[in-house]
Amino acid sequence: MAYERLSRRDFGRLMGLAGMGAAAPGLVAGCAGGTATAVRAGAAARTWKVSGKAGAGLGGFDTAVKKLMQDRGIPCGSLAVMRNGRLLLARGYTWSDDTSLSVQPTSLFRLGSLSKAVTATAIMRLVQDGRLSLSRPVTELLTLTPPPGTTADPRLAQVTVRRLLQHLGGWDRDVSGDPTYRDRQIAEQLGVPLPITRAHMVTHGAGLRLEHDPGSTYAYSNYGYLLLGEIVAKVSGTTYADYVQRNVFAPLGITRTLPAKSLASGRAPGEVPYFSQYTGRSVFDAAGTTVPAPYGSFNAENRTAMGAWLASAVDYVRFTKIFDAATSVLTASSVATMFAKPETGLNSGGYYYGFGWNVRDVTGGRNTWHDGSLPGTSTIVTRRYDSVTWALLFDQRDDPSGLTYGYNTFSAPLHAVANGITTWPTTDLFGDYF
């Protein structure tokens, strides 16, 4: 997507804050109930707040996260670290000149593609309950009627649930772009007003040509996970979000998670504000109003299954307990299926994509991980072979520094800290948050 840079003055104008100066009470409630500054202040004006708790000897994680944020001017961050099922660190980090902004360990962030593991878990639960088969073709589960004037690729019938989960459906965004970001094109093609719906996105995709034979080539596909969300709804007989909240989150006592909203006016209680130096065209009106990139340049409501759950860092590491041992959500056999090697084997990076997780077998066990990215969002989750897990969430993915945002950049300093710890604390902070 193309974005334009957003100035300090423009942010206030675009958010309806003209005449209110740099501070913008009421734009977004603070992460713990206060207010947030609409524009990011210079480094000299900022101060640090660190909330939450950490076991003895884990201060290196605080240092690493603060450096990542300070180098890039990131206002809000959160880190949760778990080992052997115990929550050892739960932090909220605020670097801002707004004294009312205070990130807590329970503050909510858009997850981006960390949501894919949630969708994969919901699918696997339906399989485990005997309500769905991984070998079932998507064409037998959903109505995939292409738009007028287009023809469905005959290979679509070879796209199974398993292949959708492993990004083996045949769509390739590196070749033809991501069809889940074509709101205005889809509205014009189908003759419908903005905002479009998930059903419109499904119809548009049904008329696309596959770049690869299904099962032959790994190619990351948001559209595939859109279809998986629709399959969860169809098979369960309820909404995708309701099924996930009841069958994936609730059994673990996770109650804060919910689907993200696109606009600042829909921000959930306890949700952080999102920042970007860019603007974009709104996908909610025909005029294409210029908006801050995190607020209306994409439709979060359509992206829940592929990338738009809201959760805190402590919620997300608790969710990953599903994959550490048998739980009431999934059996050990179901988890093993999710991490099984796909029919294509290893990709060029020496790892493979399971069901919602990147997977690499290493000496001593297995590492699994994922990252998430949206305008105003950068997230990572890491599950190490030595039973150490962390989730790191930020409310920004770009800044004028030119420094990179991404999984390797954010995970490397955390790995360095973890590798240097010889004695881990045995405390468990989960009781403080659940």
Side-chain angles (χ1 to χ4, degrees), residues 2 70 106 120 126 139 156 208 222 236 251 268 292 304 348 401:
Q70 190 161 339
T106 54
L126 289 169
T139 52
L156 200 57
L208 299 177
N222 283 317
S236 68
T304 310
S348 59
S401 74

Side-chain angles (χ1 to χ4, degrees), residues 157-175:
Q158 301 171 30
V159 180
T160 62
V161 173
R162 186 189 300 272
R163 286 172 172 169
L164 289 176
L165 288 162
Q166 296 172 330
H167 296 297
L168 299 175
W171 302 277
D172 193 333
R173 63 181 183 178
D174 290 338
V175 176

